[in-house]
Amino acid sequence: MRISELYIHPVKSMAAQSVAELSFTDLGPKHDRQWMVISDSGKFMSQRHTPVLCRFFPRVSESGLLIEFEGKHSPMVTFSGHLTPDTDVSVWGDEFRAIDCGNEVADWLGEMLNKDVRLVEISKHSNRQVDTDYAQTGQYVGFADGFPTLVASATSLEEFNSHLPSPIDMRRFRPNIVIDGARPYAEDQWQKLRIGEIEFDLVKPCSRCIMPSINPDNATKEMAVNQVLQQTRRKGRETYFGQNALHSRTGKIRVGDSVSFVE
C-alpha cells in the first residue's frame, strides 16, 4: 500500500489544496483547517448550509493565506504567529477562543457571501480536546469536526463509484491521506498504520452528512451520492466512508510513501 494523494483544507469547508507532502504538528496536518469562517454569533459556517463555500479556493504559501472566488482574490492573510486568541468560536458544541484575522478579509468574504462573517485562525496554543472516548487527555484538534486526520482508500472510492451513474472524485469526502493498494473498504478493519516514522491510530469510522452530495465544481447537490451511501455504507442510523485518525508524533509524509500495518 502507498499514499496516492495528500490534501489540506486550509479554510474549514472551503475547497481542498492538493500537496506533495504533509507535515504534522501537534494539532494535526499543518495548515489543515487552520482558518474558519464564522457567523456574527461565532458559529462555524459549513457547506451543509452554505454550499457555495466549496467554490472558494484557499491557497497557503510562505506569505500566508490567499482565497480565490470566481476570479476575485482576497487580501493576503498573514500568519498570526503568537497572537493571543481574542474571539469566541463554536465547533459542534465545543466553545473556545480563536484569533480574528481582521476587517479587510472579513469585508471581502462578507461581500462574496452576502453575509456578515469573520475569518478566524486557530491558536497555536489551542486546547480543544479530541473526544476522550477515542483519545487520551492532552490530544488536541484544531477546527476539524472532531479528529485531526482523515484517511480514505482509493479502491473504496472505485467500488463506491460502481454504484453511481457518474463517478465522483475524492474531493467529496475531504480526506487528508488517500491510500491505494488495499482491497475496497479494508480500512473498516484497520487499527494502526505506519507511514515513515509516524504511526496513525484509526480510532473511529467517519460518519457522513450531506456534504459528499455537493458537487465541488458547481456547488449543486446530487442526492444520488447520499442514496448510494445509504444503500451501501449504512450502519444503524449513520453512513460511513473513511477513518478518523490520531497521529503519534510530528513529522512529514509524502505521496508515494509506503504504508504498513503495525501489529
Side-chain angles (χ1 to χ4, degrees):
M1 299 188 299
R2 292 190 178 276
I3 295 176
S4 59
E5 299 170 88
L6 293 170
Y7 294 99
I8 57 172
H9 305 82
V11 182
K12 183 178 180 67
S13 234
M14 289 188 184
Q17 179 176 348
S18 177
V19 294
E21 68 177 29
L22 202 56
S23 297
F24 280 81
T25 71
D26 291 339
L27 293 180
K30 187 176 181 179
H31 301 316
D32 187 67
R33 280 90 168 184
Q34 182 170 341
W35 293 270
M36 181 172 71
V37 182
I38 60 171
S39 66
D40 53 6
S41 65
K43 293 183 178 179
F44 76 94
M45 292 185 63
S46 165
Q47 288 182 39
R48 296 170 184 84
H49 302 293
T50 311
V52 73
L53 284 171
C54 73
R55 302 299 301 145
F56 285 75
F57 295 91
R59 291 295 179 264
V60 180
S61 68
E62 293 181 357
S63 301
L65 171 73
L66 192 68
I67 306 170
E68 185 271 332
F69 176 67
E70 295 185 347
K72 301 173 183 178
H73 293 85
S74 72
M76 177 65 71
V77 180
T78 57
F79 300 114
S80 62
H82 296 281
L83 293 178
T84 301
D86 55 4
T87 300
D88 292 325
V89 300
S90 176
V91 179
W92 294 119
D94 293 333
E95 297 186 0
F96 53 107
R97 291 180 70 78
I99 300 165
D100 190 284
C101 295
N103 291 335
E104 195 173 4
V105 69
D107 291 345
W108 183 85
L109 284 168
E111 181 181 353
M112 297 302 104
L113 291 167
N114 195 28
K115 293 183 179 181
D116 185 11
V117 299
R118 306 291 297 181
L119 185 73
V120 295
E121 183 178 353
I122 194 73
S123 167
K124 295 181 183 296
H125 307 291
S126 173
N127 58 356
R128 183 181 170 221
Q129 171 69 45
V130 180
D131 189 339
T132 52
D133 286 344
Y134 305 97
Q136 300 294 320
T137 300
Q139 289 183 293
Y140 301 129
V141 62
F143 290 141
D145 279 354
F147 297 87
T149 305
L150 182 63
V151 178
S153 162
T155 51
S156 298
L157 180 62
E158 291 175 8
E159 200 285 330
F160 185 82
N161 276 332
S162 70
H163 301 277
L164 286 171
S166 299
I168 62 174
D169 63 50
M170 193 62 86
R171 289 177 296 168
R172 304 280 189 119
F173 295 103
R174 303 179 68 78
N176 301 110
I177 303 171
V178 182
I179 294 172
D180 203 358
R183 62 179 175 79
Y185 298 120
E187 68 274 15
D188 290 350
Q189 308 303 320
W190 294 346
Q191 295 184 353
K192 188 184 288 284
L193 301 175
R194 179 182 289 117
I195 307 172
E197 297 181 349
I198 306 178
E199 293 182 359
F200 294 88
D201 289 308
L202 279 64
V203 294
K204 184 180 182 294
C206 184
S207 59
R208 293 296 172 173
C209 61
I210 196 67
M211 283 178 61
S213 74
I214 299 172
N215 186 326
D217 293 325
N218 55 29
T220 60
K221 291 182 179 178
E222 299 170 345
M223 296 311 297
V225 176
N226 272 55
Q227 290 168 3
V228 171
L229 280 169
Q230 290 284 336
Q231 293 163 4
T232 65
R233 299 296 297 162
R234 184 169 181 168
K235 294 182 180 180
R237 295 184 177 182
E238 303 288 344
T239 59
Y240 297 93
F241 190 99
Q243 288 276 348
N244 291 299
L246 301 171
H247 57 294
S248 63
R249 53 171 293 174
T250 60
K252 290 184 178 182
I253 62 176
R254 297 170 178 83
V255 170
D257 281 355
S258 62
V259 180
S260 59
F261 296 107
V262 178
E263 295 297 333

